[in-house]
Amino acid sequence: MARLNDVVLIGRKMDGEMEPKIVNKRFTDGETANVVLNFRMKTYDEETQRFITLPIAVWGEALVEQCLLHLKKNDLICVKGELRYKFIYNRLTKQTERIYTTVKATNIEFLSKKMKSQNLHYYVNKIRLVGNLVEEPIQTENGFTLAVDRTYPTKDISAPNSELTDFVTLVIDDKSVLRGSLTKGSPVIIDGKLMTRKKRMDMIEPRIVVSVKEMVGV
């Protein structure tokens, strides 16, 4: 399957003190144990006129160290990365029941330091995906699902890369953004933005979804 999972966000870092964690290999989808730093950032959506809070995960010792040295609360930053998902254990139901989506940062630009201004109000929220539709693209409250492949290196010489799949929830507000052949299993190209959807049954965090601006079946 063709693969593209590209996120660009400009917004402000929300949390105060940050505590890095060592993540065991069994929680890294086959990748080696690594250090991870989690924080939240907010970006503003002009269309809905509201702030959106998104979770960011920084992996790797070098980038984590940069963030600990330079990143402060309310700093303006540009995050480039990709969507990742994992299941969350609900303590009330005692079941693993919901997909929680986060942005894995591959690069962070510290804009507040470079622009020498804490007063710049500028936000970006863009995402591009290439994947296959798991469900029919229908306008519903729950949205529909896209499967996006991801590769990671292995120690097997005969098969240097292994493949995983991330599942992303998509929502559409206007059917006119849908073009081409769009049925279950269809490969599609998507332009959109990240949004949050809060439902009464979501006990942990608001759901993070992709609001589709354009979807083309290929």
Side-chain angles (χ1 to χ4, degrees), residues 40-89:
R40 297 175 302 155
M41 70 179 291
K42 66 178 180 179
T43 185
Y44 187 74
D45 183 63
E46 294 283 353
E47 192 174 334
T48 59
Q49 296 188 346
R50 67 182 178 96
F51 282 99
I52 299 165
T53 301
L54 299 170
I56 309 297
V58 179
W59 291 74
E61 188 174 344
L63 191 54
V64 167
E65 186 176 359
Q66 278 189 321
C67 290
L68 292 175
L69 286 173
H70 302 294
L71 187 55
K72 308 299 181 186
K73 187 175 181 179
N74 291 323
D75 275 355
L76 188 70
I77 56 175
C78 176
V79 173
K80 299 177 182 178
E82 61 182 15
L83 283 184
R84 291 287 182 90
Y85 89 101
K86 61 182 179 180
F87 291 98
I88 289 295
Y89 179 75

Side-chain angles (χ1 to χ4, degrees), residues 104-212:
K104 180 182 177 182
T106 55
N107 185 48
I108 296 180
E109 296 284 344
F110 304 96
L111 301 181
S112 288
K113 307 297 186 287
K114 295 179 179 180
M115 297 179 180
K116 308 298 182 184
S117 171
Q118 293 284 341
N119 300 316
L120 182 65
H121 299 287
Y122 181 72
Y123 300 92
V124 171
N125 182 347
K126 295 181 179 180
I127 180 167
R128 284 187 171 178
L129 300 168
V130 173
N132 286 74
L133 292 173
V134 178
E135 303 166 309
E136 298 287 336
I138 301 174
Q139 286 174 296
T140 66
E141 183 181 358
N142 293 325
F144 52 98
T145 306
L146 179 78
V148 183
D149 280 350
R150 164 164 45 108
T151 59
Y152 65 90
T154 68
K155 295 181 180 180
D156 188 347
I157 298 177
S158 62
N161 292 302
S162 189
E163 207 169 74
L164 294 169
T165 303
D166 286 303
F167 295 95
V168 181
T169 300
L170 309 178
V171 295
I172 53 173
D173 297 319
D174 183 359
K175 284 188 175 180
S176 66
V177 305
L178 306 179
R179 297 191 287 116
S181 175
L182 299 170
T183 60
K184 182 178 179 179
S186 293
V188 293
I189 302 171
I190 293 168
D191 280 312
K193 61 182 179 181
L194 293 179
M195 301 292 288
T196 53
R197 291 284 181 93
K198 181 66 174 177
K199 297 178 66 176
R200 188 175 299 176
M201 62 187 299
D202 289 337
M203 305 299 294
I204 306 166
E205 293 281 349
R207 292 184 304 148
I208 298 172
V209 300
V210 174
S211 177
V212 177

